[in-house]
Amino acid sequence: MKIGIVGNYGNDNNGDEAILLSLISQITSTFNVPSDVITVFSNNPKQTAKRYQVMSAPLYYKKGNAVKTFGATYLQNKKIVKTFDLLIIGGGGILMDLYKREAPLYGSYAMMAKNSGVPYVIYGCGAGPLSSELGKWFIRYMGKHAESISVRDPESAELLKSVGVQKSVEVIGDPAFSLKRERKATADRPLKVGITAVPYYHAGYWPESKEDIYQQYIEGMARNLDELAAKHPVEITFFATKFPQDADVTKDIQSLMKEAQKTTVIDRNLLPVDLLQISAEQDIVIGTRLHSLILATCTATPVIAVCYHHKVTDFMKLADLSEVAIPIGEMHKADDHFSKAFDSLAADWNNTCTKTAKLSASLYEKAMKGTKQFTDAIKKTNKNSI
């Protein structure tokens, strides 16, 4: 048996690396196979192969422009794809055209699989934004020929339907919810607070740089954390799921804080197991990156969200936590966003912890049910049966 995985991997985004770790674990346990039957298409094949003990190949071959890159990638990687029993496209927020390349890139893998007679599934993805006609065409193509489609939230399912995907779309949550780590015992009130940030409109990272918006954002974060630290005896730990970009943002925020002495910045690249461990050590995680919220939930750690993207808003809605979801554009307009959300969770702390544990268990079960996509698709291939 040979299985391929394609997504946003090998890019030092450890939220996406958590998805990959979960997918590899699901595949090896579902089919009772070693990890080296898996090939991951990665931005950093050597790193991916070493880290996960899998086979790995370049995600794409850059050739000067998008058309040449598409052609070279198709010709090179179709040779690999045609050897698979199954191709998994996902998870992560890859069904979009915000950065222009995603829909054509991942759509090309759907073409490789279809033209090689290899079944493929779209698995646990997020969808949107989708604004270009080319992007929508590729997403429709991917959906039309997939054996099955699952997404991580209802909004993604609705968006796929709105752009013309006719196949049934199942909502299974994010694959990373299949990761678990036991949360350490806590005091009778929250004291340890973990923080993640994102380079919102920052030059060199965001598709469109707007320095004034970035400054408003980090100043708002600093003031809100100052208010929280002044009101409560908390220990604040900044950590990053995307390194070093997110760590740099947290340093910018820390430098603006009056209560900076109550904060610590973890200035290193944290692998998924590290992120789970750090999350398990917190009482509350205030997350901007989606996967900081997801991994905190995996450890049954209560969360507060700073919603920089609709996928964060969608997750908090799915988790019935919209009351502690703060739009990022509102951060600079008041200093008590965090303290109010913190007070809301702390008011009945035992109940908050119980509800979070139930949410964690529910999302884990839903994520694990998604593996039926793999077994159903494999049964339809004429290659080696399991």
Side-chain angles (χ1 to χ4, degrees), residues 138-194:
F138 272 106
I139 298 304
R140 284 194 295 270
Y141 180 94
M142 292 171 69
K144 180 178 180 180
H145 299 290
E147 294 295 333
S148 59
I149 307 169
S150 65
V151 293
R152 64 190 180 193
D153 54 72
E155 289 77 11
S156 291
E158 288 301 317
L159 180 58
L160 292 186
K161 292 177 184 177
S162 74
V163 300
V165 174
Q166 297 181 0
K167 194 180 295 290
S168 175
V169 179
E170 184 179 4
V171 179
I172 65 166
D174 194 285
F177 283 120
S178 65
L179 300 174
K180 296 186 78 173
R181 177 66 62 92
E182 185 175 348
R183 182 163 170 252
K184 295 185 177 181
T186 61
D188 58 1
R189 60 176 179 169
L191 297 172
K192 295 183 177 181
V193 179

Side-chain angles (χ1 to χ4, degrees), residues 53-92:
Q53 290 77 56
V54 295
M55 305 297 290
S56 189
L59 177 63
Y60 64 96
Y61 293 84
K62 193 170 184 179
K63 295 294 180 180
N65 61 52
V67 174
K68 290 180 179 179
T69 296
F70 177 95
T73 301
Y74 183 92
L75 290 173
Q76 289 291 330
N77 285 348
K78 186 186 176 187
K79 300 172 187 176
I80 303 172
V81 170
K82 71 179 183 180
T83 68
F84 295 156
D85 297 282
L86 173 67
L87 176 66
I88 299 167
I89 300 177

Side-chain angles (χ1 to χ4, degrees), residues 55-366:
M55 305 297 290
S56 189
L59 177 63
Y60 64 96
Y61 293 84
K62 193 170 184 179
K63 295 294 180 180
N65 61 52
V67 174
K68 290 180 179 179
T69 296
F70 177 95
T73 301
Y74 183 92
L75 290 173
Q76 289 291 330
N77 285 348
K78 186 186 176 187
K79 300 172 187 176
I80 303 172
V81 170
K82 71 179 183 180
T83 68
F84 295 156
D85 297 282
L86 173 67
L87 176 66
I88 299 167
I89 300 177
I94 62 176
L95 304 180
M96 66 169 179
D97 56 11
L98 176 64
Y99 297 98
K100 308 306 177 188
R101 77 166 194 178
E102 275 77 8
L105 175 61
Y106 299 115
S108 73
Y109 280 89
M111 291 180 178
M112 294 177 209
K114 179 184 179 297
N115 293 336
S116 301
V118 173
Y120 70 90
V121 298
I122 298 172
Y123 185 67
C125 295
L130 276 170
S131 57
S132 69
E133 289 306 311
L134 180 64
K136 293 174 185 177
W137 184 90
F138 272 106
I139 298 304
R140 284 194 295 270
Y141 180 94
M142 292 171 69
K144 180 178 180 180
H145 299 290
E147 294 295 333
S148 59
I149 307 169
S150 65
V151 293
R152 64 190 180 193
D153 54 72
E155 289 77 11
S156 291
E158 288 301 317
L159 180 58
L160 292 186
K161 292 177 184 177
S162 74
V163 300
V165 174
Q166 297 181 0
K167 194 180 295 290
S168 175
V169 179
E170 184 179 4
V171 179
I172 65 166
D174 194 285
F177 283 120
S178 65
L179 300 174
K180 296 186 78 173
R181 177 66 62 92
E182 185 175 348
R183 182 163 170 252
K184 295 185 177 181
T186 61
D188 58 1
R189 60 176 179 169
L191 297 172
K192 295 183 177 181
V193 179
I195 309 288
T196 67
V198 65
Y200 187 61
Y201 281 102
H202 189 273
Y205 180 83
W206 210 254
E208 181 184 6
S209 172
K210 292 184 179 180
E211 189 62 25
D212 57 334
I213 294 179
Y214 177 72
Q215 288 298 322
Q216 277 187 344
Y217 156 58
I218 61 172
E219 289 169 7
M221 289 283 287
R223 292 199 307 270
N224 273 271
L225 289 170
D226 278 336
E227 175 81 7
L228 177 64
K231 186 175 179 181
H232 297 282
V234 295
E235 301 173 19
I236 295 173
T237 300
F238 291 103
F239 64 101
T241 66
K242 171 70 173 171
F243 187 85
Q245 292 88 343
D246 291 2
D248 291 340
V249 178
T250 61
K251 292 174 194 174
D252 286 347
I253 294 168
Q254 185 190 51
S255 71
L256 296 172
M257 289 181 63
K258 296 177 182 177
E259 304 283 346
Q261 73 278 4
K262 298 179 182 178
T263 70
T264 301
V265 174
I266 300 178
D267 190 16
R268 59 188 175 89
N269 193 12
L270 300 167
L271 300 182
V273 291
D274 301 319
L275 292 168
L276 286 166
Q277 179 64 30
I278 290 167
S279 297
E281 293 170 352
Q282 308 307 311
D283 295 314
I284 291 175
V285 167
I286 301 176
T288 307
R289 289 281 189 187
L290 174 62
H291 279 91
S292 65
L293 301 167
I294 287 174
L295 293 177
T297 303
C298 288
T299 66
T301 302
V303 297
I304 296 166
V306 179
C307 301
Y308 83 99
H309 189 286
H310 75 82
K311 63 186 177 183
V312 178
T313 307
D314 294 345
F315 166 70
M316 295 299 281
K317 182 178 178 181
L318 177 71
D320 194 25
L321 291 170
S322 295
E323 73 277 6
V324 288
I326 304 159
I328 197 167
E330 299 295 315
M331 285 302 306
H332 66 287
K333 296 181 180 180
D335 297 347
D336 60 355
H337 293 299
F338 290 159
S339 61
K340 283 182 177 179
F342 183 96
D343 289 343
S344 174
L345 296 178
D348 189 349
W349 184 236
N350 287 336
N351 183 54
T352 293
C353 293
T354 299
K355 285 176 62 177
T356 306
K358 289 181 178 178
L359 173 66
S360 179
S362 173
L363 292 173
Y364 172 81
E365 290 178 8
K366 186 174 287 189

